[in-house]
């Protein structure tokens, strides 16, 4: 089936550092979503992107929908301990499509 | 953001019994609900998609007779794991998509199922 390649798989950073992760695909996506999941919890929506080139911020988080519609990135600035978790990208292939395609996740660990 | 709840948050049952998990959209009408399964340190695996008032669409490899899904109203979907076995132990997560939020799925907090 369709897959999203999410990288990196894991990150170990110092508190205060900036973080960048991305997802790429060989397919064109109509929507890109970024979620964060903490242990034992469901994913929480961070940012939703609907148009190619769209750049959206949510506090210290910024995400962009790639111009080619085949990629997206998520940046976290000035990381803090509560940013720890697993970040998933998800894409929707066509407008109105019901299913999401998920990336493998990026596990973020922060050293205080 | 939209709120989706799941109940129970965790359940332990004996092998051979059935377990029902509820998923509710609390502040919007969910025209479509999704059920996922997640194994440790892995991404979410879609099990089935259910539209209100119609039969669920199961992903390849998911047994529809084992994982019964009912989406009887615009705010409630249930997943029943029938005749559960230890290999069914997993983290089950629902998500909901509704009118006015057509391209965004909101997830519930998940249900940890342990089958002894």
């Amino acid at each position: 089936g369709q897959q999203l390649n999410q990288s990196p798989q894991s990150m170990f950073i110092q508190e205060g550092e900036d973080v960048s992760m991305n997802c790429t695909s060989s397919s064109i996506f109509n929507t890109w979503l970024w979620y964060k999941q903490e242990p034992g919890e469901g994913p929480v929506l961070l940012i939703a992107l609907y148009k190619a080139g769209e750049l959206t911020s949510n506090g210290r988080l910024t995400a962009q929908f790639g111009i080619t519609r085949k990629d997206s990135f998520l940046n976290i600035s000035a990381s803090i301990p509560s940013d720890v978790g697993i970040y998933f990208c998800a894409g929707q292939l066509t407008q109105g499509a019901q299913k999401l395609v998920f990336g493998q996740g990026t596990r973020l660990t922060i050293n205080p | 953001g939209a709120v989706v709840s799941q109940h129970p948050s965790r359940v332990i049952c004996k092998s051979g019994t059935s377990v029902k998990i509820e998923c509710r959209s609390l502040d919007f009408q969910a025209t479509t609900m999704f059920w996922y399964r997640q194994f440790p340190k892995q991404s979410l695996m879609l099990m089935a998609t259910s539209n209100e008032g119609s039969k669920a669409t199961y992903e390849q490899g998911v047994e529809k007779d084992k994982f019964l899904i009912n989406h009887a109203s615009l705010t409630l979907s249930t997943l029943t794991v029938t005749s559960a076995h230890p290999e069914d132990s997993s983290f089950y997560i629902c998500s909901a998509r509704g009118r006015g939020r057509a391209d965004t799925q909101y997830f519930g907090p998940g249900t940890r199922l342990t089958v002894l």
Side-chain angles (χ1 to χ4, degrees), chain A residues 2-80:
Chain A
Q2 299 291 337
Q3 283 194 331
L4 292 179
N5 298 311
Q6 185 172 348
S7 66
Q9 289 188 345
S10 61
M11 301 184 73
F12 298 85
I13 64 169
Q14 295 294 125
E15 183 179 352
E17 288 185 8
D18 295 343
V19 172
S20 184
M21 61 191 77
N22 68 83
C23 276
T24 61
S25 174
S26 57
S27 300
I28 291 174
F29 283 84
N30 222 54
T31 303
W32 284 94
L33 304 169
W34 284 93
Y35 293 90
K36 178 188 177 187
Q37 186 178 28
E38 297 189 21
E41 300 288 333
V44 174
L45 181 66
L46 300 174
I47 292 178
L49 302 161
Y50 300 107
K51 293 193 302 185
E54 182 179 354
L55 182 70
T56 298
S57 293
N58 177 6
R60 294 177 294 106
L61 278 63
T62 302
Q64 185 160 32
F65 192 143
I67 289 291
T68 64
R69 297 171 62 190
K70 294 182 179 181
D71 63 333
S72 177
F73 72 74
L74 174 70
N75 287 343
I76 305 173
S77 63
S79 60
I80 60 177

Side-chain angles (χ1 to χ4, degrees), chain A residues 30-31 33 35 37 40-45 48 50 88 92 95-100 102-105 107, chain B residues 32 34 36 38 41-44 46 49-51 59 91 93 97 102-110 112:
Chain A
N30 222 54
T31 303
L33 304 169
Y35 293 90
Q37 186 178 28
E41 300 288 333
V44 174
L45 181 66
Y50 300 107
F88 289 100
Q92 191 167 291
Q95 194 163 6
Q98 295 196 349
K99 294 193 288 188
L100 291 179
F102 279 86
Q104 303 95 322
R107 183 180 296 271
Chain B
T32 307
F34 306 83
Y36 294 84
Q38 187 177 35
K41 298 188 178 181
Q42 292 191 23
S43 190
L44 288 77
L46 180 65
T49 301
S50 77
N51 292 298
E59 294 300 299
F91 193 52
I93 313 173
R97 190 178 97 164
D103 295 326
T104 305
Q105 287 186 30
Y106 295 89
F107 285 83
R112 171 74 58 192

Side-chain angles (χ1 to χ4, degrees), chain B residues 70-81:
Chain B
N70 184 281
H71 190 166
S73 77
L74 285 172
T75 60
L76 173 65
S77 176
T78 60
L79 167 68
T80 301
V81 183

Side-chain angles (χ1 to χ4, degrees), chain B residues 8-68:
Chain B
S9 58
R10 56 177 60 228
V11 56
I12 300 173
C13 69
K14 292 183 180 180
S15 187
T17 60
S18 295
V19 174
K20 180 184 284 189
I21 303 169
E22 291 187 351
C23 177
R24 293 181 185 273
S25 57
L26 299 184
D27 58 352
F28 68 103
Q29 292 184 324
T31 51
T32 307
M33 285 186 167
F34 306 83
W35 286 95
Y36 294 84
R37 184 172 180 176
Q38 187 177 35
F39 293 102
K41 298 188 178 181
Q42 292 191 23
S43 190
L44 288 77
M45 182 188 80
L46 180 65
M47 298 174 67
T49 301
S50 77
N51 292 298
E52 185 263 338
S54 61
K55 290 184 179 180
T57 302
Y58 290 80
E59 294 300 299
Q60 193 171 6
V62 178
E63 299 176 58
K64 60 180 67 176
D65 294 332
K66 179 162 187 65
F67 299 100
L68 301 178

